[in-house]
Amino acid sequence: LSELELRQGDAGLAFQVMLEAARRSREEALFRRAVDIAITARNGEQAVAALKTWRQTLPKSRTAAEIETQMLMALGRHQDAREPLNTFIDLTPVAERPAAIASLPRLVLGSAKPEDAAQAIDDVLKPWRGPKAPTRLSALTATAGAWLTAGQRERSLTLAREAHALDPSHQPAALLALELMKDTPAAEAIVTGHLATPQAASGVRAAYVRRLTTSQRYGDALREATRLTTGEPDLATGWLMQGALQIELGQPAAAQTS
C-alpha cells in the first residue's frame, strides 16, 4: 500500500504507511525504506522522526544509530548527533570498532559548520581515546582527521603526534601527517618516524615520494624512491617514480636502468 501511494505521488502518506508497517513488524528493512522515502521527498525532519521511532522500537540496532548520526550531522544538528554516534560505536563489535571509529572524519565533509562537526566527534571520542581504552590509537587518529577536515591543522597535528608517540608504526597517523605536510612542515617528523620502523608501509613511502616531488625536493624524493625500490623491487610504481626523478635531476643514464 505504501509503495502504491508513493507511485501515485503521495510521499507523505506513503511514508506514514511504511513507518506504521515497520513499527508493527519490527523489521529493519521497512524502517530503512521509510527513511529512504522521507529523504527522497527531501523531508529531513520526517527522516529523523522515522529514525527515532526505529531506534525506540529496536534500541540495539547499530544501523539505525549510524544512519541517525549521519542524518543529524548532515542537518547541522551536531549536539543531537552525539548520543546516536556514541551508541553506534558502543554497538559495534569490539573487533570492528577501530575501523568504525576511523571512518568518522567523513561526517565533517559537507558540513556548513565543520568546526562544530569536528567538536562533536572530538567530544564523543574522548572516552574512546582514554589512556586504557583499546581504541585509543584509532580514536586519536580519527579525532585528528576530523580536525584536519575542519581546517584546524594545529589541533590535528597535536593529536597525530600523540598517536605516533603511542605507536610509530601506526600507518593512519603517518598518512594523516602526509596530508598535513602541505602547509605544516612539522608534520614531516611523523612520516619519517613511521618510515624508520620495521613495519613501515610501502604505500606511505610512495606517498611521501609524491609529496616531496610536489614540493620540488627532488633529491630527497629520489632517495626515498630508491629505498622503496630496494625494499619492494616488484613494485612498478616505485621504479616509475625513481626513473622520473632521475630524469628530473639530469641522470638519464641511471633512468634507463630504472
Side-chain angles (χ1 to χ4, degrees):
L1 180 59
S2 172
E3 297 295 348
L4 178 62
E5 295 294 347
L6 187 60
R7 284 195 294 271
Q8 292 177 347
D10 194 340
L13 182 56
F15 167 79
Q16 292 173 8
V17 172
M18 186 63 73
L19 184 58
E20 180 60 21
R23 189 182 64 78
R24 288 172 180 267
S25 67
R26 302 173 64 87
E27 290 188 20
E28 290 212 272
L30 296 184
F31 278 114
R32 181 65 180 263
R33 181 59 182 144
V35 173
D36 288 343
I37 290 171
I39 291 174
T40 301
R42 299 182 182 279
N43 193 327
E45 293 305 319
Q46 203 172 56
V48 170
L51 285 161
K52 288 190 178 300
T53 301
W54 184 355
R55 293 191 60 214
Q56 288 168 358
T57 306
L58 300 170
K60 296 297 184 181
S61 172
R62 175 174 175 257
T63 301
E66 181 180 20
I67 298 174
E68 185 177 15
T69 299
Q70 294 169 349
M71 181 63 61
L72 291 170
M73 293 288 271
L75 291 172
R77 292 170 55 178
H78 306 112
Q79 186 68 33
D80 294 337
R82 298 177 188 214
E83 183 276 325
L85 175 54
N86 191 66
T87 299
F88 163 68
I89 299 171
D90 194 48
L91 291 174
T92 299
V94 173
E96 298 175 18
R97 275 182 191 156
I101 288 172
S103 72
L104 297 183
R106 62 185 168 80
L107 293 172
V108 182
L109 291 171
S111 174
K113 295 181 178 180
E115 291 189 18
D116 289 349
Q119 187 64 62
I121 292 171
D122 190 323
D123 292 344
V124 169
L125 289 182
K126 187 175 182 179
W128 299 98
R129 60 176 186 268
K132 297 183 179 180
T135 54
R136 186 181 183 188
L137 198 56
S138 58
L140 279 168
T141 309
T143 308
W147 284 117
L148 174 60
T149 306
Q152 294 294 317
R153 306 181 81 82
E154 287 301 322
R155 294 184 75 166
S156 178
L157 177 60
T158 298
L159 290 157
R161 279 173 169 160
E162 189 174 348
H164 177 71
L166 280 175
D167 182 2
S169 69
H170 186 54
Q171 183 176 344
L175 291 171
L176 186 71
L178 278 165
E179 183 64 26
L180 283 165
M181 270 183 64
K182 288 180 181 178
D183 51 19
T184 311
E188 186 171 3
I190 296 174
V191 180
T192 56
H194 169 79
L195 293 175
T197 67
Q199 300 84 11
S202 58
V204 173
R205 196 177 298 278
Y208 185 38
V209 171
R210 288 190 285 270
R211 175 66 64 214
L212 292 170
T213 302
T214 301
S215 302
Q216 298 184 338
R217 292 169 56 185
Y218 300 123
D220 292 338
L222 179 57
R223 182 190 67 245
E224 293 300 328
T226 302
R227 287 174 176 169
L228 181 61
T229 55
T230 300
E232 299 280 350
D234 295 329
L235 188 65
T237 302
W239 291 107
L240 289 170
M241 290 191 294
Q242 180 176 308
L245 286 162
Q246 287 167 332
I247 291 172
E248 182 68 38
L249 290 169
Q251 303 172 13
Q256 288 180 353
T257 62
S258 293

